[in-house]
Amino acid sequence: MKPVIVVHGGAWAIPDDMAKASVDGVKSAATAGFLAMKRGGSALDAVELAVRALEDNPTFDAGHGAVLNANGEVELDSIIMDGRTLAAGAVSSVKNIANPVSLAHTVMEKTDHIMLTDIGANMFAESVGIPTVPTDALVTECERTEWEKAKNYAVGVKELFNSQWGHDTVGAVAVDCSGNVACATSTGGIRNKMVGRVGDSPIIGSGGYADNLSGAVSCTGHGESILKVTLARLILFHVEQGKGAPEAVEVSLRYMGDRVQGGGGAILVSRTGEWAAKFTTERMAWAAVEREVLWYGLNPKEEFKETLRQ
């Protein structure tokens, strides 16, 4: 099996001054994950590595660079899932963990549970030696300014999502040399959200899903809409019904738009290595690597490729 990885940096109205950094970030993350698999790493290793790279990049709304809730606080959510065993780990509303995807992975490996939230997730992190960081270290000056601006306007979360104030999720999916698939998704949520709000990202079947029998998906967009249609699982249902990867994603996103008027995007890799990156928002930064070729895009119907630099 030839390894394949696909990465996204969130589907939203990405402003021009963030466009290059967003594309560069997903290209770098996809390359890192792909090279990990070429060195013998698993799909699970690759998606965690890729998402960690995006969490560490302040361009993206995950880990460093996360948006602030209505109280001006960071609350982070993440999921990771192993398609070989259907094992999954997730965390929600964690406040001072730089790489929530790795905490989610540890929940999967070291507990009998799938999700830990808020103070319980932080207590678990401390018990297994995962370091905490000062919450302020995760917040950029730009985000603090934008949050102050958003706070002064009486707009709801959906309006924020549909504007350039919106900010969204990161994710990765991969299939490795052994034919195992995995997904990971991580987010700081949406600016000005209610305290304690959890969207789709850490919810199995919505923000992500992975099953060796069909493939792996990571979703991004308006979280409440994604939850209503269990978007990740819906996409894999269409794969199971015989649709190709691009069609499976497009049909599912169209259904979400028609049924609940929700915008978003998703990345998919099937068990055979066919992949897709599709979205219904203004933009989504994405990148994929297969057979030493790096594919990437930002705008609708845009697809570039270059030889992978190792």
Side-chain angles (χ1 to χ4, degrees):
M1 189 75 197
K2 297 286 187 184
V4 178
I5 187 167
V6 192
V7 169
H8 73 77
W12 61 295
I14 300 167
D16 290 342
D17 62 0
M18 293 178 67
K20 185 178 186 303
S22 297
V23 173
D24 288 347
V26 292
K27 287 168 68 176
S28 176
T31 299
F34 181 79
L35 293 178
M37 288 191 289
K38 282 213 50 173
R39 292 191 295 267
S42 68
L44 201 63
D45 297 330
V47 296
E48 180 179 4
L49 186 67
V51 168
R52 280 183 65 101
L54 297 171
E55 289 174 337
D56 290 340
N57 186 331
T59 302
F60 302 102
D61 174 21
H64 296 88
V67 297
L68 300 172
N69 67 15
N71 277 4
E73 300 167 335
V74 167
E75 289 183 312
L76 306 171
D77 307 326
S78 186
I79 191 170
I80 192 166
M81 187 166 183
D82 182 353
R84 185 177 65 86
T85 61
L86 301 190
V91 294
S92 66
S93 299
V94 295
K95 293 183 170 60
N96 54 356
I97 303 293
N99 295 111
V101 70
S102 294
L103 179 55
H105 194 177
T106 309
V107 170
M108 182 182 89
E109 290 193 331
K110 297 193 174 179
T111 80
D112 295 327
H113 306 307
I114 286 181
M115 180 183 286
L116 295 178
T117 191
D118 197 20
I119 189 171
N122 279 100
M123 288 169 61
F124 172 69
E126 185 178 349
S127 75
V128 295
I130 291 177
T132 58
V133 296
T135 301
D136 284 352
L138 302 176
V139 183
T140 64
E141 273 306 312
C142 177
E143 171 54 26
R144 186 70 68 183
T145 302
E146 291 297 317
W147 177 78
E148 290 285 355
K149 196 189 297 181
K151 192 176 65 165
N152 293 329
Y153 290 85
V155 290
V157 164
K158 201 159 189 177
E159 285 73 22
L160 281 169
F161 169 73
N162 288 326
S163 74
Q164 289 194 340
W165 289 352
H167 212 32
D168 204 51
T169 306
V170 304
V173 295
V175 59
D176 60 29
C177 300
S178 302
N180 295 316
V181 301
C183 73
T185 305
S186 186
T187 191
I190 190 161
R191 186 176 296 128
N192 226 26
K193 64 186 178 181
M194 289 179 67
V195 175
R197 177 265 190 186
V198 177
D200 67 289
S201 296
I203 307 300
I204 190 169
S206 290
Y209 200 80
D211 185 345
N212 275 13
L213 299 182
S214 50
V217 175
S218 173
C219 298
T220 166
H222 182 241
E224 282 70 16
S225 297
I226 292 170
L227 283 162
K228 288 173 183 176
V229 302
T230 55
L231 184 59
R233 193 66 194 84
L234 179 63
I235 290 168
L236 290 178
F237 165 78
H238 286 298
V239 172
E240 292 160 1
Q241 298 303 301
K243 289 184 174 65
E247 187 185 5
V249 179
E250 286 172 349
V251 165
S252 301
L253 289 173
R254 195 179 312 128
Y255 173 78
M256 183 170 76
D258 293 343
R259 190 73 176 86
V260 295
Q261 293 73 56
I267 52 175
L268 160 67
V269 65
S270 75
R271 65 192 184 96
T272 61
E274 186 188 16
W275 60 271
K278 302 289 181 181
F279 54 99
T280 56
T281 53
E282 286 187 34
R283 286 173 160 174
M284 181 178 82
W286 63 270
V289 185
E290 64 167 341
R291 299 180 184 274
E292 313 298 323
V293 176
L294 174 63
W295 301 81
Y296 60 95
L298 177 71
N299 296 303
K301 304 187 186 310
E302 181 178 81
E303 200 171 81
F304 301 106
K305 67 175 180 176
E306 59 189 51
T307 302
L308 185 68
R309 294 176 193 160
Q310 300 190 26

